[in-house]
Amino acid sequence: MSPLGRRAVLGGYLVAAIVLIAPAPAQSAAPSDPATAVAVAPLVTVEPSPEPGEPSQEPLAQPPPATNYAAAMVDAARAAVPKGVTYGIAVLDLRTGQSAADGTEQFYSASLSKLMLVVDMLDRDVELTPAVHTLIDRALGPSDDDAMNSLWVRFDGPDAMTRVATNLGMVATETSDDRSQWGEVKVSPAGYTRLYHHILTGMDPDDRDVIVTALSAAPPVAADGFTQYFGLLGGPLNAYAKQGWMYYGNELYLHSAGVVANYVVVLMSSQTPSAGVARANLSSIAAAVSTVVNQVTR
């Protein structure tokens, strides 16, 4: 996004976001709770020793634990983080519910709040007129700030952030000091995986299609002229994602959060180099994730 705003710089007018949810530590998760449960090793059953004269019994065989590919992706991504990049990474395996996260737990959302607002709108069954549908497409695909400003004012943006984060248990998500700045919504990689998990497993299929179709149509250059083919987009990964970028002081908040095969992958960062270098940095992290994805899917 182009520099603009009182403290944060965004294309268009930025507005706020809200939620107070205590941050949770990064962890791997077991299928019982896809985003937060700690993985537990399988129990081993041991039979008592047989009495004299009784035939011995073999211990019950236990299945080997499933490979945590989410953790493998996070490990690969962490190893590829360039020096000087503040990063946050989270991956959720949609098949097994296993998840992993690493790095900084909270960032300014930049345009990632746009997807949160659209989820709240669709979950509340707002009237999806052609004009509203067009605004959603513009906000999610080319990341049009003017479209977001219109949706934010019309569909209760600040409270929408509270509702969606509370309803989905999006950890480490909270309001900005200035409710008028939607780019300053605070989000976490682990919390954001819950948003995609809800989109893909909890939403009405027609509503899900609205979101996935819009994200899949993201053009190489955004409405404000920023190149948004970085991270999960524009590389070897066959992914759809919501991209985010925002200058705050001398920091560029640059994010790529989306779906690759059966995995939700969230890459967040704050960086100080030029936009081109920052995009290349995030793309190198995504490329490391792609090596693991290719091993799993081939």
Side-chain angles (χ1 to χ4, degrees):
M1 299 178 179
S2 56
L4 185 61
R6 181 177 52 79
R7 288 173 292 110
V9 181
L10 275 171
Y13 298 97
L14 300 182
V15 197
I18 319 139
V19 185
L20 286 172
I21 300 179
Q27 58 190 25
S28 293
S32 59
D33 185 342
T36 60
V38 177
V40 179
L43 297 175
V44 177
T45 303
V46 179
E47 294 295 323
S49 299
E51 294 294 330
E54 291 184 359
S56 61
Q57 298 180 3
E58 294 294 329
L60 296 178
Q62 298 297 318
T67 300
N68 191 334
Y69 292 112
M73 291 177 193
V74 168
D75 289 343
R78 177 178 57 244
V81 175
K83 185 178 180 180
V85 174
T86 299
Y87 71 93
I89 303 164
V91 178
L92 169 65
D93 188 331
L94 293 166
R95 301 168 306 171
T96 67
Q98 293 174 317
S99 68
D102 187 70
T104 300
E105 294 183 352
Q106 193 177 70
F107 294 83
Y108 286 130
S109 68
S111 286
L112 297 190
S113 57
K114 293 172 182 174
L115 182 55
M116 294 173 65
L117 176 57
V118 172
V119 168
D120 177 76
M121 290 168 55
L122 297 177
D123 280 350
R124 291 192 295 120
D125 293 324
V126 303
E127 184 180 2
L128 202 62
T129 65
V132 171
H133 200 155
T134 296
L135 289 173
I136 289 174
D137 288 343
R138 294 290 301 169
L140 296 185
S143 202
D144 190 322
D145 293 338
D146 290 337
M148 174 60 166
N149 291 336
S150 180
L151 293 173
W152 184 267
V153 172
R154 183 172 175 181
F155 295 103
D156 191 25
D159 288 339
M161 300 296 101
T162 303
R163 284 189 296 268
V164 73
T166 300
N167 291 341
L168 304 184
M170 294 177 65
V171 296
T173 305
E174 59 180 293
T175 184
S176 62
D177 294 334
D178 185 345
R179 288 170 58 99
S180 70
Q181 299 294 317
W182 49 256
E184 293 177 26
V185 177
K186 295 174 185 175
V187 294
S188 73
Y192 213 78
T193 62
R194 285 182 173 268
L195 187 70
Y196 271 109
H197 182 265
H198 172 67
I199 291 168
L200 296 174
T201 67
M203 293 188 75
D204 179 275
D206 290 338
D207 292 340
R208 182 185 314 131
D209 288 345
V210 169
I211 291 173
V212 173
T213 299
L215 293 177
S216 299
V221 179
D224 67 356
F226 194 90
T227 298
Q228 65 170 347
Y229 268 20
F230 61 86
L232 300 178
L233 298 184
L237 292 169
N238 182 17
Y240 56 87
K242 184 70 199 80
Q243 309 288 70
W245 54 94
M246 178 182 81
Y247 286 96
Y248 189 95
N250 66 344
E251 293 282 328
L252 172 59
Y253 285 83
L254 192 69
H255 313 316
S256 185
V259 178
V260 182
N262 294 305
Y263 302 91
V264 176
V265 180
V266 179
L267 308 176
M268 297 184 183
S269 71
S270 62
Q271 307 184 46
T272 55
S274 67
V277 172
R279 285 191 292 260
N281 287 340
L282 206 65
S283 294
S284 68
I285 298 172
V289 173
S290 75
T291 61
V292 181
V293 173
N294 291 336
Q295 292 170 7
V296 175
T297 57
R298 67 186 176 189

